Amino acid sequence: MTKILVDDVEVDVPPHFTLLQAAEAAGAEVPRFCFHERLSIAGNCRMCLVEVKGGPPKPQASCAMNVRDVRGGPDGSLPQIFTKSPMVKKAREGVMEFLLINHPLDCPICDQGGECDLQDQAMAYGKDATRYSESKRAVEDKYIGPLVKTVMTRCIHCTRCVRFTTEVAGITELGLLGRGEDAEITTYLEKAMTSEMQGNVIDLCPVGALTSRPYEFNARPWELQKTESVDVMDAIGSAIRVDTRGREVMRVMPRLNEAVNEEWISDKTRFIWDGLKTQRLDRPYVRENGKLRPATWAEAFAAIAAKVKAAKPERIGALAGQLAGVEEMFALKGLMAALGSGNIDARYPGSPLHPANGRASYLFNSTIAGIEEADAILLIGTNPRKEAAVLNSRIRKRYLKGKVLIGVIGEQADLSYPYTYLGAGPESLQALVDHAPAKAEKPMFIIGQGALNRPDGAAILAMAAKAAAAIGVVKDGWNGFNILHAEAGLIGALDLGFVPAEGSLDTAAMLAPGALDVLFNLGADEIDVPEGAFVVYQGTHGDRGAHRADVILPGAAYTEKSVTYVNTEGRVQMTNRAGFPPGDAREDWAVLRALSEALGKKLPYDSLAQLRAALYAAHPHFAALDQIAAGAAKDIEKLAKLKGKAGKAPLISPVKAFHLTNPIARASKIMAECAALAAGSAKVAAE
């Protein structure tokens, strides 16, 4: 640590800190446009100028000078910098004057108005007049895709967007062309960007040059109610903020969470909001004469009660989908137990994941932040760029640090970082068991659902556990055996034990023709239910599940309820209600509670607080929000004993279209446009 004086305040900071970071540690405010802690240093906006005592007789860019570069006095006095001296004040006013020479005076109509760094810093550090009266330059707007709107006349060339797309997103499609007055930031070929993380440049842009195209002219920031919540578009559980006006979600923004998503979110997380208000189920429906008709809650419950009463308990089943929260699955599990049925499941057909094997057998045990400690990473049957874009950026971050080996067994896809391709199928994994390479200090396996959701999933999981033992993936102080989930609800379901009881039917058995008389479908839209069973669908959108339903019970989306989710690393998280569901739709646990009374099997709670009390009594770890109840490393040894024979089919990621993975995404016009562009780009690349 190094001591330094900032405006006569002594502070002790690491020597690699920049002067800007040291000043912030001392409580001083230093304006900046180009500097960002997660990006490389550009040092080109010059707004962060400070005075260095004993240094050159001119202000210094605090973002580009380290604490170790500042010398103390000859008498042994500490190094000293000033952030409020007359020299600094004059320098900052001059820089602001230069920045505003060509900046248009369009604050009244700019989408960034009210949350613009340039606007704020011009007020705080600028002057009330300018000495420049020349005509302002104009720059033609560029098309860089359906998500990011460009008004490049506003650009101040901070290059944050260029550094983000190159370093974090891993695409080299955005850059600065030309020199001097002709310098412009653009995509090199003026085509849409292809990254699943491109929307983050909107947050990074300190002016209104890059803003949200879907959100443009929709609302002003002071009109919006801001609610902190959690994303459910994948199993990462990114921290988000949902901005609403009235009952309508206007936009989704990222929140800082160093342990999970840092400050990035995927485009699907950010731009899903228009899908929350289209194709919504806002009233119950009952199928009569082959057609669905609107009904009252009493009529819907009566139709269900008649079918349940006529069915034997062993011919009643329940499936939970990828967006189902812990509370509603707990209620559904209780209802099925009251009906005498153990036919419950939330897994894909063939999945070997089971709570009986221990919690470590289905978690991302090293944690997401633990990726930065690994020195060898093997991806098995997963394409993290599509399944968990934020996690993929964390792997890229680890790659950029150097001294890491990355291997892939499965699809040979563009992951935004180089890797060694080891093969496509289970035989490549078997080769690791038979001929284990030299052991790394902290090796890591990341096993995707493409390796598990198949008939030989148990055999592949056992093979991976044996390979992990051979390579030393699990050892004292390190558990690098990781399951990467693609669904937000599955980990909570496994923690709850939402799997079939002994001798009961699993997902594949329930979906067999003629297996059930009544099926409760809690938002499972990625499966095909055969004809024959009476299907009660409880969900939010008119998607595949609703098309097959005999009774539809409208539920609440994740922005419309307070509900618990568990992310892929086992972190317990909770959403907060940002708005209310449309029409007659209600929170899912409340629907199940009302249904249980109509079925004569009343659940023992009348409020969400009572339900959670029962939930926490049965599963105490759900009460520890933002905490991870780690699994036991010995659980991995159990997996090596799973039976089965591995096939020869290649391990293929279950996510084919990144933008269309759930009912909300498929209802989104924005996501549909992105998916069409991605499909077109893939076709061109294939040709």
Side-chain angles (χ1 to χ4, degrees):
M1 302 294 278
T2 303
K3 294 186 186 304
I4 187 171
L5 286 174
V6 181
D7 296 332
D8 296 323
V9 176
E10 184 179 314
V11 61
D12 204 9
V13 295
H16 66 269
F17 262 36
T18 63
L19 296 186
L20 188 153
Q21 291 171 305
E24 287 195 330
E29 183 177 340
V30 180
R32 85 293 301 269
F33 291 117
C34 68
F35 177 79
H36 193 280
E37 290 188 344
R38 301 188 198 280
L39 305 176
S40 61
I41 293 172
N44 54 9
C45 79
R46 319 309 285 181
M47 194 64 203
C48 64
L49 296 173
V50 297
E51 181 181 351
V52 179
K53 184 177 181 180
K58 62 179 182 179
Q60 301 293 310
S62 61
C63 72
M65 180 178 280
N66 289 340
V67 170
R68 59 171 166 252
D69 298 327
V70 184
R71 297 290 177 261
D75 58 352
S77 59
L78 294 176
Q80 191 166 6
I81 63 173
F82 301 97
T83 66
K84 301 173 184 175
S85 67
M87 177 197 287
V88 172
K89 182 175 185 296
K90 184 178 179 181
R92 289 177 181 169
E93 288 176 351
V95 169
M96 183 59 69
E97 200 172 353
F98 274 122
L99 287 172
L100 295 178
I101 288 175
N102 287 310
H103 198 76
L105 302 176
D106 59 357
C107 294
I109 58 102
C110 176
D111 270 322
Q112 201 86 337
E115 48 190 9
C116 171
D117 292 350
L118 183 65
Q119 193 177 49
D120 295 341
Q121 293 182 35
M123 292 291 290
Y125 304 102
K127 298 168 69 174
D128 61 350
T130 179
R131 291 168 285 180
Y132 301 98
S133 57
E134 291 85 356
S135 299
K136 294 179 181 287
R137 78 164 190 160
V139 181
E140 184 179 347
D141 294 341
K142 308 297 189 294
Y143 174 78
I144 61 174
L147 303 179
V148 182
K149 173 193 174 186
T150 63
V151 187
M152 301 314 292
T153 300
R154 301 170 184 159
C155 180
I156 61 171
H157 298 165
C158 71
T159 67
R160 279 186 181 183
C161 54
V162 176
R163 284 175 285 147
F164 171 81
T165 54
T166 304
E167 297 165 13
V168 179
I171 58 170
T172 53
E173 297 173 349
L174 202 65
L176 189 142
L177 303 179
R179 294 174 66 87
E181 189 180 57
D182 297 323
E184 297 181 21
I185 286 182
T186 177
T187 52
Y188 295 116
L189 300 176
E190 294 200 18
K191 291 185 178 180
M193 289 194 291
T194 58
S195 172
E196 295 80 13
M197 303 275 288
Q198 61 183 278
N200 291 289
V201 300
I202 297 167
D203 301 328
L204 288 172
C205 185
V207 295
L210 301 175
T211 57
S212 172
R213 188 181 292 275
Y215 174 71
E216 64 175 328
F217 306 130
N218 276 5
R220 286 297 197 182
W222 53 84
E223 299 176 310
L224 303 175
Q225 180 74 35
K226 300 170 178 64
T227 306
E228 294 186 351
S229 192
V230 177
D231 173 54
V232 298
M233 293 299 108
D234 53 33
I236 300 303
S238 299
I240 60 172
R241 192 189 80 202
V242 181
D243 290 358
T244 55
R245 184 173 61 188
R247 298 173 70 101
E248 188 176 355
V249 175
M250 303 304 293
R251 64 178 179 179
V252 175
M253 306 281 283
R255 285 190 297 121
L256 182 67
N257 188 334
E258 295 286 358
V260 181
N261 60 306
E262 297 180 299
E263 60 187 83
W264 318 125
I265 54 174
S266 72
D267 293 340
K268 186 163 52 176
T269 299
R270 183 185 299 271
F271 296 106
I272 201 74
W273 48 265
D274 71 317
L276 290 166
K277 51 193 174 189
T278 54
Q279 298 184 23
R280 287 300 301 270
L281 300 173
D282 58 357
R283 67 185 71 179
Y285 288 85
V286 174
R287 190 178 295 276
E288 288 183 355
N289 301 320
K291 293 185 178 181
L292 289 168
R293 68 163 181 86
T296 64
W297 284 104
E299 289 175 327
F301 289 163
I304 297 168
K307 290 293 183 177
V308 170
K309 188 176 181 180
K312 296 179 180 178
E314 62 270 18
R315 293 188 62 82
I316 301 174
L319 293 174
Q322 59 177 310
L323 302 183
V326 169
E327 284 82 355
E328 50 251 35
M329 287 190 285
F330 182 71
L332 182 56
K333 182 182 179 183
L335 177 59
M336 293 300 293
L339 293 173
S341 174
N343 302 327
I344 57 174
D345 211 345
R347 304 165 299 172
Y348 269 106
S351 174
L353 302 179
H354 200 286
N357 296 323
R359 202 163 189 251
S361 69
Y362 57 83
L363 291 186
F364 201 96
N365 292 292
S366 67
T367 74
I368 296 169
I371 290 172
E372 298 186 30
E373 300 179 40
D375 53 2
I377 301 173
L378 178 62
L379 305 175
I380 304 171
T382 180
N383 180 345
R385 184 170 174 180
K386 288 185 177 181
E387 296 170 33
V390 173
L391 182 139
N392 193 61
S393 71
R394 185 84 74 151
I395 299 175
R396 175 171 172 79
K397 180 181 178 182
R398 177 64 190 90
Y399 153 72
L400 290 175
K401 285 184 178 179
K403 296 184 180 179
V404 63
L405 300 172
I406 303 177
V408 169
I409 296 176
E411 288 183 54
Q412 195 167 7
D414 179 8
L415 299 179
S416 77
Y417 43 82
Y419 55 82
T420 301
Y421 187 62
L422 301 177
E427 66 282 353
S428 302
L429 187 56
Q430 184 62 47
L432 286 180
V433 179
D434 299 335
H435 306 286
K439 294 184 179 181
E441 285 296 316
K442 290 188 174 181
M444 176 183 290
F445 279 9
I446 299 180
I447 305 165
Q449 300 306 301
L452 304 178
N453 295 337
R454 40 190 279 158
D456 58 352
I460 293 175
L461 187 58
M463 201 182 294
K466 293 173 185 174
I471 296 173
V473 170
V474 182
K475 59 182 74 172
D476 288 342
W478 177 254
N479 186 345
F481 191 87
N482 300 316
I483 306 295
L484 177 59
H485 293 271
E487 300 184 350
L490 181 56
I491 312 92
L494 293 170
D495 279 356
L496 276 176
F498 199 90
V499 292
E502 188 76 28
S504 299
L505 306 179
D506 61 9
T507 301
M510 281 190 268
L511 295 179
L516 296 177
D517 292 334
V518 178
L519 174 65
F520 290 93
N521 183 345
L522 183 60
D525 290 273
E526 314 306 316
I527 57 172
D528 293 314
V529 181
E531 295 297 327
F534 181 85
V535 178
V536 179
Y537 176 76
Q538 186 174 342
T540 59
H541 286 72
D543 205 72
R544 290 168 63 183
H547 296 166
R548 172 62 186 85
D550 294 290
V551 173
I552 294 175
L553 305 177
Y558 71 104
T559 57
E560 299 158 359
K561 58 187 176 183
S562 174
V563 67
T564 304
Y565 288 94
V566 184
N567 80 345
T568 191
E569 60 185 353
R571 186 182 302 274
V572 180
Q573 299 174 303
M574 188 178 290
T575 66
N576 289 311
R577 175 190 281 164
F580 291 89
D584 291 334
R586 295 291 183 268
E587 292 187 40
D588 297 273
W589 77 267
V591 173
L592 289 165
R593 163 64 182 77
L595 175 61
S596 70
E597 192 163 5
L599 296 178
K601 305 290 183 181
K602 182 179 175 181
L603 293 173
Y605 29 79
D606 298 320
S607 67
L608 183 58
Q610 292 177 356
L611 185 154
R612 284 184 173 149
L615 171 66
Y616 298 158
H619 306 278
H621 75 280
F622 284 121
L625 291 180
D626 205 37
Q627 302 295 316
I628 299 174
K634 62 182 180 181
D635 293 341
I636 312 302
E637 299 173 8
K638 299 178 186 176
L639 298 179
K641 300 175 183 177
L642 293 177
K643 305 296 183 182
K645 182 178 180 181
K648 295 184 178 181
L651 308 180
I652 300 174
S653 169
V655 178
K656 300 293 183 291
F658 166 78
H659 302 94
L660 304 175
T661 55
N662 59 62
I664 304 175
R666 288 189 285 269
S668 167
K669 183 180 177 182
I670 303 169
M671 291 295 100
E673 189 174 352
C674 292
L677 272 173
S681 299
K683 185 178 180 182
V684 169
E687 292 173 352

